[in-house]
Amino acid sequence: MPLNLGNDVDASSRIILTEPRGSTAEVLLFGGQVISWKNEKREELLFVSSKAQYKPPKTIRGGIPVCFPQFGNFGGLERHGFARNRFWSYDDDPSPLDPANKQSSVDLILKSTEDDLKIWPHSFELRVRITISPGKLTVIPRVRNVDTKGFSFMFALRNYLYVSDISEVRVEGLETLDYLDNLMGKERFTEQADAITFDGEVDRVYLNTPTKIAVIDHERKRTIELRKEGMPNAVVWNPWDKKAKSIADMGDEDYKTMLCVDSGAIEPPVLLKPCEEWKGRQELSIVSSSYCSGQLDPRKVLYGD
């Protein structure tokens, strides 16, 4: 168990991960959710809503919620599934992963309960390992089928990224790809732009995406690089002003400094036979850049080693 523990006013445990160069991450047992990731300069890299409520079972808007066994309204369960509003436990046996550094990593587990089985009748074990290292935050999710029959599920890590100004941000790596537009009844389109920029609400599930995506923040001269394995979808979401005002736990101006770029296994869902395990991996890393002055070639971020 990590040495750095805190307690919120609602008595839910908060795990604080540290690494020698000074970056930190905070993880809640409620939802198994990362709610803060700061670099060695103590700059926050994840967005949390100014109206976020830390009152279980209310979910926390921001950080990196775990969406399972459903993403969004792509099914009949509650939006984004139930894993994000359950209390998780420490996983004392994260096999077959190597033992983790207890200061910079934590292993959590969520097992199906009788209440869960009433709304989703499949026995499962959902594990996540969260690790920080200089300039990088890694999340390794695993789902094991401990039922006697097969089941299918969706999974996503909803990455609320903190940006300087959404109108000055661009996302690269998704050009020419097909996507499902949630603003158009999940109709399928093909991305025509060289990069995704923002001047209104966007809510898209990109299909068959590459392992690397770059989020370029011109004002901060910084690129957030997303690398993923086992999660072929990428979701891009910003509610813009009108939708933001309709979201109870989001400030009216919050949309200006946030962008969700998610890793997911959504379309198609994952099918697991009894005793099988699915594994994904996501790495968020910060690349300091002078891109806005033309000194960083984003193709090196996307396609370099």
Side-chain angles (χ1 to χ4, degrees), residues 10-285:
D10 58 18
S12 63
S13 291
R14 182 189 297 247
I15 304 117
I16 302 171
L17 305 178
T18 61
E19 58 84 21
R21 282 179 53 178
S23 59
T24 62
E26 296 183 23
V27 185
L28 295 183
L29 284 184
F30 179 66
Q33 183 170 342
V34 181
I35 59 165
S36 174
W37 173 37
K38 294 179 180 178
N39 62 16
E40 63 274 12
K41 298 178 182 178
R42 308 299 296 156
E43 296 170 330
E44 182 59 66
L45 303 169
L46 297 178
F47 166 89
V48 175
S49 168
S50 61
K51 291 186 177 180
Q53 300 179 35
Y54 294 79
K55 296 179 180 179
K58 178 66 178 176
T59 57
I60 297 167
R61 184 171 296 280
I64 307 179
V66 177
C67 304
F68 173 89
Q70 177 180 302
F71 179 80
N73 58 358
F74 281 68
L77 299 175
E78 63 185 277
R79 186 174 181 82
H80 293 316
F82 51 76
R84 64 189 186 134
N85 56 19
R86 298 288 188 270
F87 280 96
W88 294 47
S89 303
Y90 293 103
D91 185 5
D92 295 324
D93 182 22
S95 178
L97 298 183
D98 294 331
N101 180 317
K102 297 299 185 182
Q103 295 295 318
S104 59
S105 185
V106 65
D107 290 285
L108 301 178
I109 186 170
L110 180 70
K111 297 181 180 181
S112 48
T113 65
E114 289 186 10
D115 287 340
D116 295 335
L117 292 171
K118 291 176 183 176
I119 59 175
W120 196 65
H122 309 292
S123 297
F124 68 88
E125 293 177 352
L126 169 57
R127 290 176 164 86
V128 296
R129 169 173 287 185
I130 301 160
T131 304
I132 58 167
S133 54
K136 184 181 295 184
L137 174 68
T138 304
V139 182
I140 301 175
R142 293 181 290 151
V143 177
R144 176 169 289 276
N145 183 347
V146 293
D147 212 318
T148 58
K149 57 186 182 300
F151 61 74
S152 63
F153 67 91
M154 303 174 206
F155 182 91
L157 295 171
R158 166 132 280 199
N159 302 304
Y160 281 86
L161 305 177
Y162 180 58
V163 298
S164 56
D165 180 352
I166 186 62
S167 63
E168 297 295 325
V169 170
R170 56 193 286 136
V171 178
E172 302 198 354
L174 301 175
E175 51 274 8
T176 74
L177 299 181
D178 285 358
Y179 64 87
L180 305 179
D181 194 332
N182 287 323
L183 304 180
M184 301 287 287
K186 299 185 178 67
E187 189 174 346
R188 186 164 177 156
F189 295 92
T190 300
E191 182 58 63
Q192 302 294 331
D194 292 336
I196 302 169
T197 56
F198 302 89
D199 58 6
E201 183 180 359
V202 174
D203 190 355
R204 301 171 182 170
V205 178
Y206 286 82
L207 310 174
N208 302 313
T209 60
T211 57
K212 270 196 270 189
I213 299 167
V215 180
I216 300 164
D217 190 332
H218 292 275
E219 190 168 314
R220 284 207 171 88
K221 297 183 174 64
R222 186 166 69 195
T223 295
I224 303 170
E225 182 183 283
L226 167 63
R227 297 183 182 224
K228 56 189 180 60
E229 299 170 9
M231 293 181 278
N233 302 124
V235 183
V236 178
W237 179 65
N238 182 285
W240 217 248
D241 54 351
K242 186 176 180 181
K243 176 67 71 64
K245 291 177 181 178
S246 72
I247 300 174
D249 61 348
M250 193 168 192
D252 290 354
E253 304 295 311
D254 280 355
Y255 77 94
K256 295 179 178 179
T257 56
M258 61 78 63
L259 174 64
C260 283
V261 181
D262 312 333
S263 301
I266 302 163
E267 181 58 43
V270 179
L271 178 62
L272 272 188
K273 296 177 182 178
C275 301
E276 282 188 340
E277 182 174 271
W278 167 86
K279 178 183 175 183
R281 181 184 181 91
Q282 172 184 282
E283 292 181 358
L284 289 173
S285 57

